[in-house]
Amino acid sequence: MSEQTPAAPPATPPADEHRRIEAAAAAEGETQSGFVRFMSSPVGRNLGLIIALLVLCAVGAITAGDRFVDTDNMVTILRFASIIGVVSIGMTFVIIGGGIDLSVGAIVALSSVWATTLATQTMAEDTHWLLMVFVACAVGVGCGLINGVLVAYGRMAPFIATLAMFAAARGLAEIISEQRTQLVDVRELVDTINGELLGISVLIWIFAVVSAIGWVLLNRTTFGRRTIAVGGNATAARLAGIAVKRHTVLLYVVLGLACGIAGIMLTARTGTGSGTHGQLYELDAIAAVVIGGTLLTGGRGTIVGTVFGVLIFQTLTNVFTLNNLDSSTQAVAKGAIIVVAVLLQQRVAVRSSDST
């Protein structure tokens, strides 16, 4: 019987090699964890947004020169950012709560048309121009209420429910206006909202006030905490005693109110009500919110980040316009930026989960 040679034991690295590998892994984990924690913090996200905004300003100054850095152009950027900014503040709440709204542009159009009908303007002339503001806000709230009920109680996907509202509101706006542009005859409305307060445009003041209210609502109230809870885990929020369906409806109502405010702002700025108002506002609002650091899956977001996101996209649009690039190119660039932002969010989320 032949003698068999025993199998050699598996080679093991020396003890010092084990220690070196463990030390390197620990160092890498600490570095990655620290970086992820910083980039996931509000300070890190806002710092990245500030850097992106400064880079865009530098590009604008290089490519457009004095036309970009001119004070009037800066004011123009803020004025245009104010209207879509109000919509974006409302969109932030809906997305944090785990939803989305594709109908905001159509709601803005419907609000502007309904507020500038002959009947509404006649009553406003007999009473006060604030009646037109009330009508626009009421229309926005009504549309938001319908969206919220369909999503929460009708159990429709937010994408489908708001897509239906997008078609219906835009069509109703065209029916009411008979596909014509309605002129604003109540000059007090135009003069007041297009005027200045303390040397600053009233449009910018409205955006600032809405942003401040949104920040307080999200960060200092029970409503904000419930919004984060519902978006993070609706089942856990329900078990914690939160009326998830009712809260979801309220989120869409808040966004509808924001659309109504934006509708009257756009009406005053253009002096018209039209079924074509608010086109692509859904793209701009979602882009600003996502760039601002709000997760599309819900549960996290900031109002400050949304404000920076609005400024970034409006500055980008201004740079494109000054360089004679058409709107189609702008839309392609915005779509690409949304994709990059979502990919970065996913990457940071994966790293954060791996480090915990």
Side-chain angles (χ1 to χ4, degrees), residues 115 120 128-138 189 193 260-261 264:
T120 303
H128 198 279
W129 60 266
L130 285 175
L131 177 64
M132 297 176 64
V133 177
F134 173 79
V135 169
C137 292
L189 172 73
I193 298 182
I261 296 173
I264 204 66

Side-chain angles (χ1 to χ4, degrees), residues 64-206:
D66 294 338
R67 292 180 299 161
F68 178 81
V69 299
D70 184 71
T71 303
D72 291 338
N73 185 59
M74 295 298 176
V75 173
T76 299
I77 292 176
L78 292 176
R79 281 170 57 86
F80 276 85
S82 62
I83 299 176
I84 187 61
V86 170
V87 177
S88 300
I89 296 299
M91 183 72 79
T92 303
F93 282 93
V94 168
I95 293 181
I96 291 176
I100 200 166
D101 195 335
L102 303 180
S103 64
V104 290
I107 296 175
V108 168
L110 182 59
S111 299
S112 72
V113 166
W114 213 315
T116 55
T117 58
L118 179 60
T120 303
Q121 294 200 67
T122 300
M123 288 188 292
E125 289 177 342
D126 294 338
T127 55
H128 198 279
W129 60 266
L130 285 175
L131 177 64
M132 297 176 64
V133 177
F134 173 79
V135 169
C137 292
V139 171
V141 168
C143 292
L145 179 62
I146 294 173
N147 280 337
V149 170
L150 290 176
V151 172
Y153 293 96
R155 297 185 178 181
M156 293 181 64
F159 178 87
I160 300 300
T162 59
L163 185 61
M165 177 59 71
F166 167 84
R170 186 73 71 180
L172 183 57
E174 293 179 351
I175 291 173
I176 293 175
S177 65
E178 298 180 349
Q179 297 185 349
R180 298 176 181 175
T181 299
Q182 299 176 163
L183 299 178
V184 178
D185 296 324
V186 183
R187 300 309 305 175
E188 292 83 357
L189 172 73
V190 177
D191 294 339
T192 301
I193 298 182
N194 272 335
E196 293 185 350
L197 178 63
L198 302 178
I200 300 175
S201 172
V202 173
L203 291 172
I204 300 175
W205 276 112
I206 295 174

Side-chain angles (χ1 to χ4, degrees), residues 155-334:
R155 297 185 178 181
M156 293 181 64
F159 178 87
I160 300 300
T162 59
L163 185 61
M165 177 59 71
F166 167 84
R170 186 73 71 180
L172 183 57
E174 293 179 351
I175 291 173
I176 293 175
S177 65
E178 298 180 349
Q179 297 185 349
R180 298 176 181 175
T181 299
Q182 299 176 163
L183 299 178
V184 178
D185 296 324
V186 183
R187 300 309 305 175
E188 292 83 357
L189 172 73
V190 177
D191 294 339
T192 301
I193 298 182
N194 272 335
E196 293 185 350
L197 178 63
L198 302 178
I200 300 175
S201 172
V202 173
L203 291 172
I204 300 175
W205 276 112
I206 295 174
F207 179 34
V209 170
V210 171
S211 299
I213 294 175
W215 185 90
V216 173
L217 195 62
L218 181 62
N219 296 282
R220 293 294 184 267
T221 66
T222 303
F223 182 86
R225 291 191 291 271
R226 288 177 177 175
T227 299
I228 296 173
V230 169
N233 191 323
T235 302
R238 188 179 298 108
L239 295 175
I242 298 175
V244 175
K245 292 183 178 179
R246 183 178 64 185
H247 192 82
T248 299
V249 172
L250 291 177
L251 291 176
Y252 282 95
V253 168
V254 168
L255 177 52
L257 176 60
C259 291
I261 296 173
I264 204 66
M265 293 169 68
L266 186 57
T267 298
R269 186 177 65 80
T270 61
T272 62
S274 173
T276 61
H277 281 338
Q279 290 185 343
L280 294 181
Y281 270 24
E282 44 281 327
L283 171 63
D284 291 344
I286 294 173
V289 173
V290 172
I291 287 297
T294 298
L295 293 179
L296 279 176
T297 53
R300 192 193 78 185
T302 66
I303 298 297
V304 175
T306 296
V307 171
F308 278 120
V310 170
L311 294 177
I312 286 173
F313 269 93
Q314 193 54 55
T315 303
L316 179 66
T317 300
N318 184 262
V319 171
F320 281 173
T321 301
L322 292 177
N323 287 279
N324 298 320
L325 295 175
D326 56 31
S327 58
S328 300
T329 304
Q330 298 178 28
V332 171
K334 291 177 181 179

